[in-house]
Amino acid sequence: MPIPNRIADFLPEMTAWRRDFHTHPELGFEERRTSDIVAEKLAGWGIEVHRGLGRTGLVGVLKGNGGEGGSIGLRADMDALPMPEANGFEYRSQNPGAMHACGHDGHTAMLLGAAKYLAETRNFAGTVHFIFQPAEEGLAGAKAMIEDGLFDRFPCDAVYGIHNDPHMPLGTFRALPGVILAASDTVEIVIRGKGGHGALPHLSVDPLLVGVHVVSGLQSIVSRRTDPLGSAVVSITQFHAGSADNVIPDEAVLRGTVRTLLPEVRDAVEQAISDIATITARAHGAEAVVRYHRRYPPTINHAAEATRAADAAAEISGEAKVIREGLPIMGGEDFSFMLEKRPGAFLFVGQAEAGGKGSNPVHHPTYDFNDNLLPVGAGFFARVVERELARK
Ligand code: NI
């Protein structure tokens, strides 16, 4: 069964929604306009709407006409990234400094498309919860919704989410069991030395030189401290110090990101960063304060749900376009919090077309969600519901 005709018919409408969201991107926990539009559309289709979970998040509740049955959560993220857009097309961002550079505009539109179709057809037994979450980009909007009672108020036997992927061909699904995305943590290291005149370094403790040794030393963690098969990434991405050519500053601040797949590797990397920073600083007569923040846990798909999601994807795109085995990637996702609470699966779906359409990478100022993916994503969500909540 390919994409249902009725959903394919929604393409112009879904495209208009998606481009409207793209024109008006909103950062995490500020998705008020987006949330208003989603709520209004769901209510207009006869779906019960509950707002204010995770501040700007909302849940739509729809019962099928097949009577009692199970319950499924389908999730889309609504937030944009704090970055300027470099695209010149008509629907480019009108909010300076905010851009839908990860395709969450498309995720929201495709879940709306599925909601519209399912509200029309209701060809299932039980309940669907449409979960529109805020603040996926670094602010843990999924966690905020859970803390506001998401799964207590809206019980879900399983939850499913999808993310576009510009590196795979349009309509190709990647549905892997087990760990699919890394734990995503941040680290800040403040190195306190002793400032002074740039011409009299022997009277100072230079925090820049200490910082250079620390950054260099941290590179030994992945190469020498952790198991080569237990993947880890340590990227120091910021180094702030000094304000004048001839002044040695008091302090240097380093910040970066840490990605790991296994709990024991996560623990080991955290400990190693602390050891290397504090001991290196001490060796130079300085002091290092390390603040390690565990942000997102690894995203771990439940095997049975990953298989069932892959089967639903195969009905939409054909088995040849479903990848069921492979390695995780070191990105992070806050859908991980939902998968810690409920069984479920998170899938990637390709959006690249011949000629380069849809292939600019996410988080890049020229990225754009490929609208041709909208019916594929909406079709997938609808199939998951009609399969998992099949009438008896
Ligand atoms: Ni994203």
Side-chain angles (χ1 to χ4, degrees):
M1 177 189 290
I3 297 164
N5 287 337
R6 184 67 187 134
I7 289 179
D9 290 345
F10 294 164
L11 176 58
E13 200 176 1
M14 285 194 285
T15 300
W17 303 336
R18 203 285 290 180
R19 293 184 179 188
D20 176 63
F21 295 140
H22 194 93
T23 308
H24 305 283
E26 297 172 297
L27 302 182
F29 294 123
E30 295 171 9
E31 306 92 336
R32 283 176 284 273
R33 179 184 184 277
T34 309
S35 179
D36 284 348
I37 292 171
V38 169
E40 192 189 309
K41 289 194 188 306
L42 295 178
W45 300 325
I47 296 172
E48 189 184 303
V49 176
H50 299 262
R51 304 196 65 177
L53 285 96
R55 291 187 248 173
T56 45
L58 68 156
V59 176
V61 181
L62 179 70
K63 291 192 187 307
N65 61 18
E68 292 299 304
S71 58
I72 276 189
L74 304 174
R75 172 271 204 172
D77 40 14
M78 302 188 290
D79 58 319
L81 281 157
M83 59 187 279
E85 175 157 7
N87 289 312
F89 44 63
E90 213 169 66
Y91 58 89
R92 68 186 175 277
S93 170
Q94 298 300 317
N95 292 352
M99 175 188 175
H100 269 297
C102 202
H104 300 183
D105 48 350
H107 301 164
T108 301
M110 61 171 68
L111 186 54
L112 280 174
K116 180 174 177 176
Y117 168 83
L118 290 167
E120 275 182 13
T121 51
R122 301 196 189 221
N123 188 22
F124 59 93
T127 309
V128 183
H129 297 121
F130 301 100
I131 303 167
F132 291 88
Q133 79 150 76
E136 191 285 322
E137 297 287 356
L139 298 173
K143 188 166 175 236
M145 288 189 83
I146 292 167
E147 286 169 354
D148 281 347
L150 174 65
F151 294 129
D152 304 320
R153 293 172 59 192
F154 310 99
C156 296
D157 297 334
V159 287
Y160 296 93
I162 47 180
H163 202 294
N164 76 94
D165 187 340
H167 306 292
M168 291 196 301
L170 178 66
T172 297
F173 284 86
R174 196 172 152 83
L176 311 181
V179 183
I180 52 153
L181 287 161
S184 175
D185 299 333
T186 58
V187 63
E188 179 183 74
I189 302 168
V190 179
I191 295 160
R192 298 197 177 119
K194 183 179 165 209
H197 199 297
L200 303 167
H202 57 295
L203 301 179
S204 303
V205 175
D206 182 357
L208 271 101
L209 183 63
V210 177
V212 167
H213 283 295
V214 169
V215 174
S216 176
L218 295 180
Q219 302 313 308
S220 69
I221 296 174
V222 174
S223 67
R224 287 296 177 268
R225 293 278 288 266
T226 59
D227 185 333
L229 296 179
S231 305
V233 177
V234 178
S235 289
I236 298 300
T237 53
Q238 299 185 51
F239 192 144
H240 302 282
S243 58
D245 294 342
N246 55 0
V247 175
I248 292 171
D250 271 322
E251 203 172 89
V253 179
L254 312 177
R255 294 194 190 97
T257 186
V258 175
R259 307 298 171 101
T260 52
L261 300 178
L262 301 170
E264 60 270 29
V265 176
R266 195 182 198 185
D267 292 343
V269 172
E270 179 178 357
Q271 185 62 50
I273 289 174
S274 177
D275 291 348
I276 289 168
T278 54
I279 294 165
T280 303
R282 203 177 311 139
H284 291 269
E287 185 201 356
V289 177
V290 180
R291 297 186 189 98
Y292 190 96
H293 296 285
R294 294 186 173 221
R295 302 282 182 190
Y296 292 179
T299 306
I300 305 175
N301 279 345
H302 298 243
E305 283 71 21
T307 300
R308 294 210 292 268
D311 293 345
E315 290 193 16
I316 295 297
S317 288
E319 185 60 41
K321 294 184 87 173
V322 179
I323 299 166
R324 293 171 183 261
E325 282 176 19
L327 296 171
I329 58 174
M330 301 306 278
E333 240 300 332
D334 78 346
F335 193 67
S336 52
F337 290 108
M338 296 196 186
L339 291 177
E340 283 188 335
K341 298 288 179 199
R342 306 303 309 144
F346 189 72
L347 281 68
F348 289 95
V349 55
Q351 67 156 22
E353 291 189 71
K357 183 178 170 65
S359 61
N360 285 349
V362 294
H363 294 214
H364 190 273
T366 62
Y367 168 84
D368 192 28
F369 183 89
N370 183 353
D371 293 309
N372 291 332
L373 180 56
L374 291 167
V376 178
F380 165 77
F381 278 135
R383 277 318 292 155
V384 167
V385 170
E386 290 174 351
R387 286 171 53 93
E388 299 298 296
L389 301 181
R391 329 157 141 269
K392 289 167 198 98

